[in-house]
Amino acid sequence: MSTAPNRRAVAVILLVPLMVTLALWAFAWPAARIAPRDLPVGVAGAAPAAEQLEQRFEQREGAFEVHRYEDEAAARAAIEDRVVYGAVVATPQGPHLLTASAASPVVSQLLREAVTASAPEGTQVKVTDVVAAPTGDPRGSALGASVLPLALAGMAAGAVVTLMGLRGARAALTLLAASALVGLAATAVTHSWLGVITGDWWTEAGVLGLTVLAIGSGVAGLAALFGTGGIGLGALLMVLLGNSFSGVTSAPQLLPEPVGMIGQWLPPGAGGSLLRSVAFFDGSAAGGPLLTLSLWSVLGLAAVLFARRTPKAVEPTAAESAGPAREPALTG
């Protein structure tokens, strides 16, 4: 009796707990270790008071990256350009906190709590949301939840193109068309219906479509290079790691190192950052995420178009496998 079925059963029994452990590590570990790590913040105002505010931030070693600005106008410009997540302005009435909940509601709340706790007792901290999150998604939960559907859409596009046997230009055009349609449909839902994003409609559609294209072409390219096993590798990178390391629900600087950095090198994280830039900040700080998505798209499509595939070996026919026919034995 063959032992192959038993071996497959043992492999499944061992593989399922391993996958569950990996998923828990990828999703639960970063969420349980959220804390500021070189989080860029600004300090503005007169020198003596501003220096005191800067020292309070620096007391938490490694938590904040402090930028100094001359006045409130310069600090506001830095927030709008996505250089810093927020800034504290020293005024005669006390600290004035400038935040940007559109950049990250979690960081906005964290700065509010940190500045209020460090302010002298009895001091009222004034808070101004310079770039507010849209009323349709004040906590950013809907925007964060949109990353997984985009990852799944790109994953499905790359896997279907591979499994259907599409090759070369036909596969590339299929990925382009599918990504464009997903971008239009996703923008219709998130912008026109839910009001989750509020930037230029067509620019947002282009970003969503490019995100799906980067994921889909990445998966199809890996499959073109490594066979159908590349689909599993693509799922690991795009869905498991890309989604959990994206930092869209909080901020990349709140995730453990180097998780936040890795997440921005993968299409889901880069797509989330680029979408925030075009939806709320008029495209500020869009260069890095745009370059990441473009590289994944170009390299993936190039692999689909030019990767060499080893031709399948031709199986011998039944007559060939039986060997040459033998002459019947001669009788005396």
Side-chain angles (χ1 to χ4, degrees):
M1 182 178 177
S2 176
T3 60
N6 294 333
R7 291 177 179 175
R8 288 195 291 267
V10 172
V12 170
I13 293 172
L14 296 177
L15 185 61
V16 170
L18 178 62
M19 293 300 298
V20 171
T21 303
L22 181 61
L24 286 174
W25 168 79
F27 284 91
W29 173 58
R33 297 292 185 267
I34 285 181
R37 297 171 176 85
D38 292 326
L39 185 72
V41 297
V43 171
E51 288 175 357
Q52 291 180 0
L53 293 172
E54 185 175 355
Q55 290 174 359
R56 290 171 186 169
F57 278 118
E58 291 177 346
Q59 286 176 355
R60 299 179 61 178
E61 187 176 354
F64 298 99
E65 179 186 288
V66 182
H67 300 244
R68 283 291 299 271
Y69 300 101
E70 294 183 0
D71 51 24
E72 180 178 337
R76 284 177 176 267
I79 293 173
E80 293 170 351
D81 292 338
R82 300 201 72 185
V83 177
V84 294
Y85 281 91
V88 186
V89 183
T91 68
Q93 295 76 27
H96 179 194
L97 175 61
L98 306 177
T99 64
S101 58
S104 172
V106 176
V107 172
S108 181
Q109 182 63 28
L110 183 151
L111 291 176
R112 186 191 298 260
E113 294 173 355
V115 174
T116 302
S118 63
E121 186 176 354
T123 303
Q124 185 69 29
V125 178
K126 180 183 178 182
V127 180
T128 301
D129 200 347
V130 177
V131 186
T135 56
D137 188 26
R139 298 181 180 179
S141 55
L143 181 62
S146 65
V147 174
L148 181 58
L150 293 177
L152 293 176
M155 180 71 206
V160 169
V161 164
T162 301
L163 296 177
M164 290 184 64
L166 300 180
R167 299 289 184 266
R170 182 175 298 177
L173 290 175
T174 302
L175 289 169
L176 287 167
S179 301
L181 290 177
V182 171
L184 295 174
T187 307
V189 172
T190 55
H191 183 116
S192 303
W193 179 33
L194 299 177
V196 173
I197 50 180
T198 57
D200 179 74
W201 199 97
W202 289 104
T203 304
E204 292 168 348
V207 169
L208 292 169
L210 180 61
T211 302
V212 176
L213 177 62
I215 297 170
S217 59
V219 172
L222 289 171
L225 293 172
F226 305 111
T228 54
I231 298 177
L233 179 58
L236 175 66
L237 289 175
M238 304 301 179
V239 179
L240 189 60
L241 299 183
N243 184 48
S244 58
F245 291 3
S246 66
V248 176
T249 56
S250 55
Q253 294 84 357
L254 296 184
L255 300 179
E257 296 178 349
V259 167
M261 180 176 61
I262 294 173
Q264 295 305 298
W265 292 344
L266 297 174
S273 296
L274 182 57
L275 184 60
R276 283 191 187 277
S277 292
V278 302
F280 309 125
F281 295 89
D282 295 327
S284 297
L290 179 61
L291 177 61
T292 299
L293 294 176
S294 300
L295 285 175
W296 275 99
S297 300
V298 170
L299 294 176
L301 291 175
V304 170
L305 289 170
F306 304 114
R308 295 181 178 180
R309 294 175 176 80
T310 304
K312 294 182 179 180
V314 179
E315 297 182 358
T317 62
E320 292 173 343
S321 60
R326 297 182 179 179
E327 294 291 336
L330 298 177
T331 58

